[in-house]
Amino acid sequence: MARSIPPSRMRCPRPHVPRALLAAVLPSSLLAAGLPAQDPALAAAAPTAKLPQGAAPAGQDPAGQNPAGQNPAMPAARSPAPGQGQPVQQQAPGKAGAAAGQTVVVTASRREQDPFEAPRAIDVVSSQDLQRYQFRSTPQALRYLPSAMIQETSPGQGSPFLRGFTGYNNLLLIDGIRVNNSTFRSGPNQYWATVDPLSLDRIEVLRGPASTQWGSDAVGGAVQAITKGPSLRAVDGVRYGGATYGRYATAEDSPVARGEAQVAWGREGGLRSAALIGGDARAIGDIEGGADTGTQPNTSHKETAFDIKLEHELSKHTKLVFLHQEMSQNNVPRTHATVSAERWRGSAAGSDLQRELDQDRRLSYVQLHQSGLDGAFTSARYSVSFQTQREVEERLRTSGVGAQEFEVGTLGMFAQFESDLGALGTLTYGVDYYRDDVDSRSTGVGANPFQGQVGDNARYDLFGVFAQDEVDLGGGLSAQAGVRYTYAAADADSVRSPTSNTAGIAVKDNWDEVTANVNLRQELTERWNVYAGASQGFRAPTLSDLTSFTVARSGEQEIASPGLDAEHFLGYELGSKVRTGDLQLQAAWYWTDIEDQIVRTPTGTTVGTPPLPAIAKSNAGDGYVQGTELQLAYEVVERTTAFVVNSWQYGRVDGFDASRNPITDYTSRIMPMTTIVGLRWENQPGDFHCGTEVVRAEDADKLSVGDQGDTQRIPPGGTPSYTLWHLRCGFRLDERASLEIACENVTDVDHRVHGSGSNGLGRNFIIGMSVTF
């Protein structure tokens, strides 16, 4: 059994609920090309609690100015398709709030922007999408986006592949703060699953290299989770309210309960403050696969989460924000590596009797938001944060129990400014700094006397200075150009020698890089534009690259690899966006050049107890990934919308075969051709909706050498194709309560998302209910 996180490190959860579960529209993964927000008819019909006098309704932005996701340009009864998103208008970095009804994102350029006007592919998973689709985890919330494949080693883990990249080659942010740290592993890892989806207002996904805006790791894309803030506002006195939410899914046997409380206080003409406190608990049972798979043993785990956000308005244009959030996962299995693994289509089982993870992540920050300033800059945002992440992995073998664990504390700071340069455009610029301090150890069978998964007594620094200008060139042509300088340094005092189990070494190195981007947008009409650009990506080697000593893939032992160089990427993108009364469309072609990618290389030796084939890392990967994306939503008749999402991908990269001979190989885990088609309808009062989606994934048979060797997760010859059919409907029971019901995988198909460690869910009935008070 894996070690549970000690009670002293856990928090008692307090329940929460989304307020307008039914007034949402289907997932917003389809056209984040800038699809407008929730239509006014739906917003008017949304269930809202009877709040005390002076309180703003749920879904309003923290400044109390922007109705939740509304956009007057969107006709009544319009529902975007998955991925097109209706973002809730929460305050963006450096702003006091967008104009009423305006749909904005902040990830594409680090400033408020209509996603339709961004010269990049960007999607929004809105609060309505999170509520209506009742996603089990944050990675699962991205599954309707183009060029996004969600690999899950188990239901408690999840690693999105974005435009062919995963793990530490994608950057995760929370309210502008990096979640990635120097212990994140290459390949699919589990860390994104430690972000509680029920604590989020929306998720913004910028696809393609974004290192100019966000620094190291932003290669496949940058994903920003925007947290919920208090929606109550008190003009004079004290106001309070709250909500509860419950969910149950049959194929997961997973009860979920969340509660939320809000309080606001202030005086007329004076300062105002507000707080939101929420928490939840969930238990995932042994999951049920399709008709022939049945129950998959040893796939259950438990989670708890807690969050609090305080906002204090110092003046009309200045706000102080404090947030603390935490999530704990207990006994999350890596079933594929055990004797209990599902032997599907010839896949192999592991040799461990049991292998489990405990994870504990905490984030606290204080931020100051300013807007409407006079002088050198028009807005500013300052942030100081501290995060801790603790991971314990225990393995039960026939020879006994062994454990590896590490804890990393990350201090983060950034300052960001915006200046109006008149004819020279709008300049966004700033500085950021992060420092990791890492402790790592191992015990029991196969214990390493020097470290756990990564080097012990280690430090990692990441510093960046950035600037990006957006300028109107006239004639409907606009440009976005930016530059960033990044410096990274690693220093680990206690690392197991790659050649000896009885010797320790120290690893110390540093890297710096200048990255840039240039993106152009041509407005053909008010509702149709085309865009093109080139953006650099960059990733400095981390402690995971340089000092790792852990089992990788299906039974390989990764060893320390000092002396690595940085990875370099250059992404090209050409696309078009359309937004009319009936049609929403976004299409893109992308190509990402890969240079000096860090790849796993067989050493021809064995290491560890029991002995396993040793692999090291080297900068041998040169190649490319290319693909196409299509997102379309069309109102076929009044109040009825059809939508399509299609993704195609292909990639090649240099590597090594099992005999250590250099080869040109497929990139790992190439996403198979995937198409989503669907239809949705909403009645005139907006108190009932229904919809259906069909998901088709073709054969995933373009396997790299590493994929072929990952026999516990990938069947011989690749992962077979599958077709899934989902049904959904929702009801507003009264002004305070709403209900969502879904049947996913109606035909109970056996299937596996490419590279996952267990089969996908069979027929799964989901019911969720929210009540506000």
Side-chain angles (χ1 to χ4, degrees):
M1 293 293 290
R3 217 181 315 180
S4 297
I5 294 172
S8 62
R9 299 182 58 83
M10 300 176 64
R11 296 288 185 273
C12 183
R14 309 189 185 204
H16 152 111
V17 133
R19 263 191 161 94
L21 195 58
L22 268 215
V25 233
L26 237 96
S28 60
S29 331
L30 181 55
L31 283 176
L35 278 187
Q38 177 188 9
D39 68 79
L42 296 182
T48 353
K50 286 185 174 179
L51 301 177
Q53 182 180 3
Q60 204 164 25
D61 89 304
Q65 298 176 10
N66 303 325
Q70 290 189 15
N71 189 327
M74 190 67 154
R78 168 86 58 239
S79 292
Q84 285 183 326
Q86 303 108 329
V88 173
Q89 302 322 126
Q90 191 170 23
Q91 178 174 323
K95 293 288 185 180
Q102 181 183 351
T103 298
V104 297
V105 294
V106 296
T107 307
S109 59
R110 299 191 65 135
R111 57 181 292 268
E112 286 186 349
Q113 186 174 39
D114 182 343
F116 182 72
E117 298 177 357
R120 300 286 302 271
I122 184 166
D123 290 306
V124 178
V125 182
S126 71
S127 60
Q128 292 95 337
D129 299 334
L130 293 169
Q131 295 157 3
R132 176 162 290 186
Y133 278 76
Q134 305 176 85
F135 298 112
R136 180 181 69 245
S137 67
T138 293
Q140 276 285 310
L142 309 185
R143 73 188 194 202
Y144 287 103
L145 302 179
S147 297
M149 181 177 72
I150 313 304
Q151 186 270 6
E152 289 185 318
T153 298
S154 79
Q157 303 164 352
S159 185
F161 279 76
L162 301 177
R163 289 192 172 178
F165 298 92
T166 194
Y168 57 25
N169 284 115
N170 294 322
L171 178 62
L172 177 62
L173 305 145
I174 295 179
D175 293 347
I177 297 165
R178 291 175 62 96
V179 177
N180 289 38
N181 63 53
S182 56
T183 67
F184 274 30
R185 299 192 307 273
S186 63
N189 60 48
Q190 72 277 11
Y191 305 113
W192 291 32
T194 62
V195 177
D196 179 17
L198 295 178
S199 70
L200 303 181
D201 176 72
R202 70 182 188 271
I203 303 171
E204 299 180 0
V205 182
L206 175 63
R207 297 193 297 279
S211 289
T212 301
Q213 294 93 330
W214 298 105
S216 184
D217 301 2
V219 178
V223 177
Q224 180 157 204
I226 309 295
T227 59
K228 290 180 179 179
S231 58
L232 292 181
R233 287 296 179 269
V235 175
D236 189 12
V238 178
R239 305 288 182 259
Y240 58 88
T244 59
Y245 170 65
R247 172 190 183 270
Y248 182 77
T250 59
E252 303 165 359
D253 188 20
S254 58
V256 178
R258 180 169 172 91
E260 185 178 274
Q262 294 194 50
V263 60
W265 58 96
R267 63 186 182 201
E268 190 170 359
L271 301 181
R272 297 187 298 177
S273 301
L276 178 150
I277 303 173
D280 50 82
R282 71 194 76 201
I284 308 296
D286 285 342
I287 61 175
E288 294 282 337
D292 297 329
T293 300
T295 301
Q296 301 178 71
N298 297 324
T299 53
S300 62
H301 75 281
K302 295 181 179 180
E303 301 176 350
T304 58
F306 171 77
D307 52 273
I308 180 170
K309 196 171 192 178
L310 307 175
E311 297 179 351
H312 179 59
E313 297 178 12
L314 300 174
S315 68
K316 182 179 180 181
H317 299 296
T318 301
K319 181 196 296 186
L320 188 66
V321 181
F322 167 79
L323 175 134
H324 174 79
Q325 61 174 211
E326 56 187 64
M327 185 173 182
S328 296
Q329 293 184 314
N330 294 329
N331 304 112
V332 179
R334 296 178 66 86
T335 312
H336 75 283
T338 73
V339 295
S340 301
E342 178 67 31
R343 294 170 172 85
W344 188 64
R345 303 291 181 94
S347 65
S351 58
D352 289 354
L353 301 179
Q354 198 164 352
R355 186 177 175 187
E356 293 181 338
L357 283 171
D358 288 344
Q359 293 194 107
D360 184 16
R361 185 190 63 82
R362 292 185 174 91
L363 165 64
S364 299
Y365 72 65
V366 177
Q367 295 185 349
L368 183 68
H369 302 174
Q370 294 181 296
S371 65
L373 304 177
D374 296 324
F377 44 84
T378 57
S379 69
R381 191 183 188 191
Y382 308 89
S383 176
V384 177
S385 62
F386 186 75
Q387 301 178 69
T388 59
Q389 178 189 335
R390 178 174 176 263
E391 176 185 317
V392 181
E393 181 180 41
E394 289 192 354
R395 304 178 65 185
L396 174 61
R397 306 178 176 124
T398 55
S399 56
V401 178
Q404 289 186 319
E405 66 178 292
F406 69 84
E407 185 165 1
V408 53
T410 304
L411 173 67
M413 295 178 282
F414 72 77
Q416 177 180 315
F417 309 95
E418 185 178 319
S419 296
D420 185 355
L421 305 181
L424 297 179
T426 301
L427 183 67
T428 305
Y429 53 101
V431 59
D432 48 44
Y433 171 74
Y434 294 86
R435 174 160 187 154
D436 297 339
D437 287 291
V438 181
D439 293 318
S440 178
R441 64 196 65 86
S442 61
T443 58
V445 173
N448 183 326
F450 302 100
Q451 64 173 92
Q453 292 100 316
V454 296
D456 187 27
N457 193 20
R459 294 155 299 284
Y460 193 88
D461 294 284
L462 193 61
F463 170 80
V465 180
F466 60 90
Q468 181 164 272
D469 191 27
E470 296 177 76
V471 59
D472 185 351
L473 301 177
L477 180 65
S478 58
Q480 179 188 85
V483 63
R484 168 186 278 263
Y485 169 77
T486 301
Y487 172 83
D491 187 355
D493 292 338
S494 182
V495 179
R496 181 195 179 279
S497 167
T499 58
S500 171
N501 194 40
T502 59
I505 62 173
V507 174
K508 188 173 183 178
D509 210 340
N510 64 81
W511 309 263
D512 64 348
E513 189 72 20
V514 175
T515 51
N517 70 284
V518 177
N519 303 89
L520 300 174
R521 174 181 175 271
Q522 177 64 57
E523 184 180 279
L524 302 177
T525 70
E526 185 180 350
R527 300 180 180 273
W528 178 25
N529 65 62
V530 295
Y531 66 90
S535 304
Q536 288 183 301
F538 159 76
R539 197 186 69 80
T542 62
L543 293 174
S544 178
D545 294 311
L546 301 164
T547 70
S548 178
F549 188 82
T550 187
V551 175
R553 291 189 299 226
S554 294
E556 297 172 321
Q557 184 72 55
E558 190 172 308
I559 60 176
S561 304
L564 294 172
D565 294 328
E567 299 178 330
H568 301 89
F569 306 86
L570 179 58
Y572 304 94
E573 184 174 346
L574 178 65
S576 182
K577 302 178 185 182
V578 176
R579 182 170 70 189
T580 70
D582 296 324
L583 174 68
Q584 323 292 328
L585 180 143
Q586 178 173 273
W589 166 84
Y590 63 89
W591 178 292
T592 304
D593 272 326
I594 302 170
E595 182 181 349
D596 298 329
Q597 186 172 22
I598 296 172
V599 298
R600 289 168 170 157
T601 309
T603 65
T605 62
T606 60
V607 68
T609 305
L612 296 173
I615 56 173
K617 290 181 175 178
S618 64
N619 291 98
D622 293 339
Y624 68 90
V625 177
Q626 67 163 322
T628 59
E629 302 164 349
L630 173 67
Q631 305 161 277
L632 180 149
Y634 181 70
E635 187 180 32
V636 290
V637 295
E638 187 178 7
R639 309 197 74 82
T640 303
T641 301
F643 58 88
V644 178
V645 180
N646 178 264
S647 305
W648 172 82
Q649 188 179 101
Y650 183 83
R652 304 286 284 182
V653 67
D654 293 341
F656 298 90
D657 64 17
S659 301
R660 293 182 289 161
N661 298 312
I663 60 171
T664 298
D665 201 2
Y666 289 115
T667 55
S668 181
R669 307 290 207 279
I670 293 176
M671 182 181 182
M673 171 84 82
T674 302
T675 304
I676 304 169
V677 296
L679 194 69
R680 79 172 55 77
W681 174 80
E682 191 107 17
N683 71 349
Q684 183 63 43
D687 56 10
F688 174 75
H689 70 85
C690 59
T692 184
E693 311 111 51
V694 174
V695 179
R696 171 66 181 179
E698 303 297 338
D699 290 334
D701 53 8
K702 296 178 176 59
L703 304 181
S704 68
V705 169
D707 292 342
Q708 295 173 38
D710 198 356
T711 57
Q712 296 166 5
R713 285 181 277 207
I714 300 177
T719 306
S721 62
Y722 57 85
T723 303
L724 306 179
W725 176 31
H726 307 317
L727 294 171
R728 309 181 192 280
C729 64
F731 310 84
R732 188 184 58 181
L733 303 177
D734 59 34
E735 61 183 0
R736 293 176 179 266
S738 59
L739 184 71
E740 290 286 344
I741 300 174
C743 180
E744 297 186 338
N745 193 2
V746 175
T747 54
D748 205 22
V749 171
D750 282 295
H751 69 288
R752 178 175 292 191
V753 175
H754 187 40
S756 293
S758 57
N759 282 7
L761 299 178
R763 185 181 297 114
N764 187 27
F765 293 96
I766 307 172
I767 183 168
M769 185 173 182
S770 66
V771 178
T772 58
F773 56 89

